[in-house]
């Protein structure tokens, strides 16, 4: 009965799951693209000799060339430079707003699922109500209230996705709170805070994180849409959405102005979704292994 | 001196249905009291009531009281009960497979009990955890403490659950079917560990089980519950030699023995009725082979047996005699 070691090998944890996601072909390509874009955004000043707001009017409407790999826009600004700086805006606005959304949504959802009662009914009703409107509508209303700009966009995106995270967390917590280990913790004297923060939320985290990852892709589109309407980051700060907006009037004269930012949005969102799928698959494997007795 | 745990004429109701009816039990330090019966007889409910978790499932004490070391549990508020649970009363859950949080390391889950109840610092708690794991004969305690639950076997997990129950230095351990989910060889080890703790440390153990084999092996006294009432309460040896209540006799008849003739292992026909349909009179009479008219109308009261036990059967003398 004495086995060589009582401890069998561990299932992959957080980093192991990431590694497994990168191990799949689609995950590797998508993940690699995302890493590239994030690095490009971070090191933008080192990667390009131009400034994003340097207007050289005599060089306007240049097609892609060696000097300007992605061409120039109607003010003669280097498009690649603006794309790299635009990635900063798009990525940071969408990820920060999703982060806010997850934090607030999880708190509301966890409290609603755990305590139930009137608070639960109120949170669920509001979440259902906001979920019945398209995100873009909620975002437009909020931007109209707060005003255009980066902070307005962030608030709009955060609120637009709040219901999704609140509902998901609530459902997770409601299943988890019936688990035996929660009863065990309670039978050993644990209070509400301990059970919520030490047991329930850590166990509910994985699906919420995956869903947050996928929502970040949607948020990039929402941010670009608001930018396209001129409600996002204000000029001269570049964002992919506002670049597409100015390019839309010049679609036939200088198609590269709208095509490249559009491609950036599309490939980034596809990459996020593919990587999210790879993450789900990696987590799924862990679930299956974990369910073995 | 009064016993450590004394349940006095306890009745418990959930939603207007009385599930425990006039139960009296007592348990002292260094003693193991077995609580046996089929599913639905009220064993686990008794455990929940003793640990003050009854309100959680919407139940309430209808009458009677539970004295723990002379204190009425009803007089303690929620905070007092929380302090008691995991502190002076340790609880061992039924299924070790699900009783541990899958995303927390084993060591942390044990540490937190002594941090909470003994006010130990992180380091002192870990030292105590490793010490406890050693006492429970867990090999490579330091490695196990760093492991996650899925890395351990069922028997090992049950030892961890026992370590958690012990970490708050309890006087009483309530174990709700601690061996049901484990295979037989591991069962024996766990029972040995639990009985060892009682003998060495003078703990009191309330052992809830439906396994009469475990009862015979471990307990000092046994209370047989049927449909929310105590059918018989006696010391182990006389109970097994000459059970006075037909239900106790039937349960003992269900234990397989070496050298039994084929087909001679008995079962008990029928099952415990739901609490809303308990029959009048003796609740066991529809399934009792000896039942006579009085059993159908009159509730049998607990009477003393010559060896100091209690039995609730109109025909006890005739059956045992």
């Amino acid at each position: 009965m004495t086995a060589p070691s009582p401890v069998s090998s561990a299932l992959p944890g957080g980093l192991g799951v990431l590694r497994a996601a990168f191990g799949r072909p689609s995950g590797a390509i998508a993940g690699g693209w995302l890493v590239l874009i994030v690095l490009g955004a971070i090191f933008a000043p080192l990667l390009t000799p131009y400034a994003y707001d340097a207007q050289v009017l005599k060089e306007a409407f240049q097609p892609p060339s060696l000097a300007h790999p992605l061409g120039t826009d109607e003010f003669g600004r280097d498009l690649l430079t603006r794309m790299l700086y635009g990635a900063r805006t798009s990525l940071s606005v969408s990820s920060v707003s999703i982060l806010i959304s997850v934090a607030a949504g999880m708190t509301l959802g966890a409290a609603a699922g755990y305590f139930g009662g009137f608070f639960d009914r109120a949170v669920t009703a509001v979440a259902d109500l906001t979920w019945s409107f398209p995100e873009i509508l909620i975002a437009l209303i909020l931007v109209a209230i707060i005003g255009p700009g980066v902070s307005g966009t962030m608030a709009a995106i955060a609120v637009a996705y709040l219901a999704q995270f609140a509902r998901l967390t609530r459902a997770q917590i409601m299943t988890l709170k019936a688990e035996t280990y929660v009863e065990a913790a309670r039978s050993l004297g644990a209070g509400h805070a301990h059970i919520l923060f030490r047991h329930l939320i850590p166990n509910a985290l994985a699906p919420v994180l995956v869903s947050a990852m996928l929502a970040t892709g949607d948020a990039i589109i929402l941010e670009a849409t608001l930018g396209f309407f001129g409600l996002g980051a204000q000029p001269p700060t570049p964002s992919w959405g506002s670049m597409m907006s100015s390019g839309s009037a010049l679609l036939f004269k200088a198609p590269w102005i709208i095509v490249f930012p559009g491609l950036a949005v599309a490939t980034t969102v596809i990459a996020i979704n593919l990587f999210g799928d790879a993450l789900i698959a990696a987590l799924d494997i862990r679930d299956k292994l974990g369910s073995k007795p | 001196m009064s016993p450590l745990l004394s349940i006095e004429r306890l009745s418990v109701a959930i939603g207007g249905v009385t599930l425990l009816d006039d139960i009296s039990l007592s348990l002292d330090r260094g003693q193991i009291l077995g609580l046996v019966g089929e599913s639905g007889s009220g064993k686990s409910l008794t455990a929940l009531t003793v640990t003050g978790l009854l309100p959680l499932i919407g139940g309430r004490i209808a009458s009677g009281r539970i004295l723990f070391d002379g204190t009425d549990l009803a007089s303690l508020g929620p905070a007092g009960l929380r302090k008691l649970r995991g502190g002076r009363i340790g609880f061992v859950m039924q299924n070790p497979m699900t009783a541990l949080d899958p995303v927390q390391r084993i060591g942390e889950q044990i540490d937190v009990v002594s941090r909470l109840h003994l006010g130990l610092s992180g380091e002192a708690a870990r030292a105590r955890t490793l010490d406890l794991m050693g006492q429970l004969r867990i090999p490579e305690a330091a490695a196990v403490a760093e492991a996650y639950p899925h890395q351990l076997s069922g028997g090992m997990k049950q030892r961890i659950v026992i370590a958690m129950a012990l970490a708050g230095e309890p006087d009483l351990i309530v174990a709700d079917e601690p061996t049901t989910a484990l295979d037989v060889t591991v069962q024996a080890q766990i029972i040995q560990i639990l009985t060892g703790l009682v003998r060495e440390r003078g703990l009191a153990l309330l052992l809830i089980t439906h396994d009469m084999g475990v009862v015979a092996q471990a307990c000092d006294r046994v209370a047989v519950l049927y449909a929310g009432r105590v059918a018989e309460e006696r010391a182990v040896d006389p109970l097994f030699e000459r059970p006075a209540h037909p239900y106790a006799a039937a349960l003992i008849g269900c234990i397989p023995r070496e050298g039994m003739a084929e087909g001679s292992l008995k079962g008990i026909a029928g099952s415990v009725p739901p609490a809303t349909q308990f029959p009048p009179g003796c609740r066991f009479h529809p399934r009792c082979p000896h039942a006579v008219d009085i059993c159908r109308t009159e509730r049998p009261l607990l009477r003393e047996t010559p060896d100091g036990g209690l039995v609730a059967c109109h025909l006890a003398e005739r059956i045992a005699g």
Side-chain angles (χ1 to χ4, degrees):
Chain A
M1 207 36 232
T2 39
S5 170
V7 183
S8 65
S9 64
L11 291 165
L15 272 178
V17 170
L18 267 186
R19 206 172 296 134
F22 268 104
R24 305 172 160 264
S26 63
I29 295 169
W33 180 244
L34 290 177
V35 169
L36 209 67
I37 288 185
V38 170
L39 290 180
I42 294 172
F43 296 110
L46 306 176
L47 293 173
T48 164
Y50 307 103
Y52 65 85
D53 54 355
Q55 303 189 0
V56 188
L57 288 175
K58 68 176 191 303
E59 285 181 9
F61 301 119
Q62 284 197 3
S65 65
L66 272 180
H68 301 287
L70 301 183
T72 60
D73 69 1
E74 71 271 34
F75 298 114
R77 297 176 296 198
D78 181 57
L79 215 56
L80 178 63
T81 306
R82 289 187 59 77
M83 295 254 308
L84 290 174
Y85 281 95
R88 288 186 161 185
T89 319
S90 289
L91 296 181
S92 61
V93 167
S94 53
S95 50
V96 167
S97 50
I98 289 295
L99 224 60
I100 297 171
S101 195
V102 167
M106 272 199 97
T107 311
L108 283 174
Y114 184 73
F115 293 109
F118 175 76
F119 183 68
D120 180 30
R121 284 199 297 280
V123 168
T124 313
V126 173
D128 285 348
L129 194 71
T130 55
W131 227 16
S132 62
F133 293 102
E135 279 101 5
I136 180 71
L137 191 63
I138 300 172
L140 281 175
I141 295 170
L142 274 155
V143 171
I145 298 170
I146 302 170
V150 169
S151 54
T153 310
M154 287 210 277
I157 296 174
V159 173
Y161 291 99
L162 195 72
Q164 177 183 335
F165 298 119
R167 289 175 58 112
L168 180 62
T169 311
R170 173 178 174 271
Q172 288 284 321
I173 298 287
M174 289 185 75
T175 350
L176 290 170
K177 74 175 178 182
E179 290 284 340
T180 319
Y181 56 80
V182 175
E183 198 188 325
R186 197 169 274 132
S187 73
L188 291 176
H192 292 313
H194 180 87
I195 287 171
L196 254 175
F197 291 108
R198 294 292 297 273
H199 294 296
L200 293 178
I201 290 181
N203 275 288
L205 213 54
V208 176
L209 287 186
V210 170
S211 138
M213 171 100 202
L214 296 175
T216 307
D218 294 346
I220 288 177
I221 295 182
L222 192 52
E223 192 271 340
T225 312
L226 291 173
F228 191 84
F229 291 153
L231 301 171
Q234 295 302 301
T237 308
S239 83
W240 291 343
S242 62
M243 289 169 73
M244 285 159 76
S245 175
S246 58
S248 66
L250 306 158
L251 186 57
F252 296 103
K253 190 176 180 204
W256 54 90
I257 301 180
I258 186 167
V259 166
F260 289 118
L263 276 177
V265 171
T267 50
T268 308
V269 172
I270 291 172
I272 286 178
N273 278 295
L274 284 177
F275 193 70
D277 285 345
L279 263 186
I280 291 173
L283 283 166
D284 242 14
I285 291 172
R286 201 173 65 148
D287 273 357
K288 281 184 199 112
L289 286 173
S291 69
K292 264 201 302 194
Chain B
M1 206 176 105
S2 62
L4 181 68
L5 175 73
S6 135
I7 302 177
E8 294 176 356
R9 309 210 59 177
L10 176 75
S11 294
V12 166
I14 296 182
V17 181
T18 305
L19 295 176
L20 291 182
D21 188 1
D22 203 9
I23 296 218
S24 296
L25 297 169
S26 75
L27 174 59
D28 216 336
R29 288 184 176 81
Q31 258 194 351
I32 304 178
L33 174 66
L35 210 54
V36 294
E38 288 163 275
S39 307
S41 55
K43 307 177 304 255
S44 295
L45 192 60
T46 310
L48 280 182
T49 312
V50 168
T51 46
L53 287 170
L54 199 54
L56 212 67
I57 53 167
R60 58 181 190 84
I61 295 179
S63 65
R65 56 183 191 158
I66 300 175
L67 296 178
F68 179 74
D69 206 9
T71 314
D72 188 348
L73 287 193
S75 71
L76 294 170
L81 281 174
R82 244 195 346 261
K83 197 123 190 59
L84 206 60
R85 280 199 293 273
R88 296 196 61 198
I89 301 180
F91 196 68
V92 177
M93 302 287 291
Q94 176 167 357
N95 190 347
M97 302 299 170
T98 54
L100 296 170
D101 187 334
V103 303
Q104 252 185 51
R105 290 178 198 278
I106 295 293
E108 292 167 31
Q109 301 196 43
I110 307 177
D111 289 352
V112 73
V113 180
S114 52
R115 294 212 325 252
L116 186 67
H117 290 287
L118 305 180
L120 295 186
S121 69
E123 269 173 43
R126 178 50 59 93
R128 178 167 167 74
T129 295
L130 294 177
D131 182 43
L132 275 171
M133 289 167 88
Q135 289 175 38
L136 295 176
R137 279 169 274 155
I138 295 170
E140 295 178 43
V144 173
E146 289 303 316
Y148 287 98
H150 69 263
Q151 296 172 259
L152 304 179
S153 67
M156 203 55 76
K157 280 188 218 177
Q158 190 59 295
R159 290 179 204 209
I160 301 299
V161 172
I162 293 173
M164 284 170 74
L166 287 174
E169 284 193 344
D171 298 312
L172 166 69
I173 289 190
V174 179
D176 189 359
E177 311 220 5
T179 59
T180 306
L182 306 172
D183 57 48
V184 183
T185 48
V186 183
Q187 273 188 20
Q189 292 173 4
I190 296 294
I191 291 300
Q192 226 180 346
I193 287 172
L194 284 172
T195 50
L197 287 169
V198 173
R199 308 293 176 229
E200 287 157 24
R201 302 179 166 211
L203 300 178
L205 174 64
L206 181 63
L207 181 63
I208 295 166
T209 179
H210 57 242
D211 185 339
M212 291 301 274
V214 168
V215 171
Q217 188 187 345
C219 298
D220 301 310
R221 293 187 73 80
V222 193
V224 179
L225 292 190
Y226 185 81
R229 288 180 184 162
V230 176
E232 183 164 356
E233 201 266 295
R234 286 168 83 189
V236 164
D237 292 340
L239 179 86
F240 274 81
E241 278 159 30
R242 295 174 77 187
H245 195 285
Y247 181 59
L251 281 181
I252 292 166
C254 294
I255 309 173
R257 286 192 183 78
E258 215 174 66
M260 263 180 135
E262 202 176 317
S264 65
L265 184 60
K266 280 177 256 156
I268 312 175
S271 57
V272 183
T276 47
Q277 291 161 25
F278 284 150
C282 172
R283 287 177 174 175
F284 187 59
H285 82 252
R287 302 170 72 189
C288 181
H290 308 283
V292 293
D293 281 345
I294 188 176
C295 305
R296 296 183 182 96
T297 51
E298 294 258 331
R299 171 181 181 171
L301 298 175
L302 280 170
R303 288 176 294 158
E304 270 200 43
T305 58
D307 52 39
L310 292 167
V311 61
C313 177
H314 295 299
L315 309 171
E317 286 79 10
R318 220 184 303 166
I319 292 163

